[in-house]
Amino acid sequence: MGAGASRDLGGVGGDNATVVTSQRVRPGRDDDYRRWQEKTNQVVREFDGFEGTELYPPTPGEANEWVVVFRFSRVDQLTAWLESSARRELLDEGRPLFDGSPTQEILAGGTPARDVVTAVISHEVRPGRERDFMRWQDKVLAEQEKQSGFMGSELFKPVQGVQDRWVVVFRYDTREHLDRWLDSEARKKLLEEGRQYFSAYDVRKIASAFSGWFRFGEGADKGIPPNWKQAMSVVLALYPTVMILNLTVGHDLDELGVPGYVGLFIGNVLSVSVLTWLLMPLVNRAFAFWLVPDRANSLRVHVVGAALVALCWLVFIVVFGLTTG
């Protein structure tokens, strides 16, 4: 409960093994780090059991700490990657990019968690206090169940021969509800009680899934909208983009005989590019009163903004219905 990485991690599958690695990148080395991480991704794809990886950039206004998630089918396959000479060589190559040593939490098993905000918490439990720690975690869970937006919690015991820390994963429906719990007086009191059972913990926060499309000012920590607002805004920009591309580029590709799977890839590249560099900045400016957390501070603003977005949806549906029907 005391530490971890908060972000939608896309789920920890039932028999899967996941490692969450955090590393602070030196100032000015972000591009070098991205290239190094892409090289790492290419290497890890060759290992048995590899299922996927995600890279999460730092939250605006916080330390330049990047988080990478690697997923494998089983713990032994994940361990083979972590202990491989290929990974050691990559870490040696990337060491000049890092400010301090990377940290990692390993999750073995668990249940899927999608479209939520997740916190991954690791603890160094004092020897002989494991049962007390588990009873304390039951008290934490009982308190969390009273909180708005709480969606569940899991406790992961140490993985023998790989990791000696205990890891707790808990999920909330929005970043606002997660932050409210992390800053609550109830949690602070529980932390004070829990310090007799664990000796150390870390806290790392990560932005949410669409955060790259929601930036409000350079160098300003204005926060990121909750997931439901991000999703509504992305649909607002994505729907007309996909429709227009299908009616123009998609039609031309069909006439040229381009295979459907290639046409779909081209369409995805174009739609993501249009959203990233054109439409999402426009949506951000138009709906800043509703998206920027420190501006949307009343129920009326939340309702009005959501209603306007829904109205725009309806307008697009009617327009495309009339023009394509």
Side-chain angles (χ1 to χ4, degrees), residues 146-162:
K146 304 175 186 176
Q147 306 295 316
S148 299
F150 178 66
M151 299 185 69
S153 175
E154 294 175 271
L155 177 63
F156 295 83
K157 295 182 179 180
V159 181
Q160 186 175 6
V162 179

Side-chain angles (χ1 to χ4, degrees), residues 294-315:
D294 58 6
R295 295 191 195 179
N297 51 15
S298 70
L299 178 61
R300 179 175 177 275
V301 173
H302 293 314
V303 172
V304 169
L308 287 174
V309 172
L311 179 61
C312 291
W313 289 353
L314 180 60
V315 169

Side-chain angles (χ1 to χ4, degrees), residues 122-134 136-137 155 158 164-167 196-200:
S122 64
H123 305 78
E124 295 182 14
V125 177
R126 299 182 188 277
R129 306 305 300 268
E130 291 83 2
R131 290 186 179 275
D132 295 329
F133 175 77
M134 294 176 68
W136 174 74
Q137 279 294 333
L155 177 63
D164 58 3
R165 291 186 295 255
W166 292 64
V167 179
Q196 58 187 309
Y197 311 129
F198 59 85
S199 58

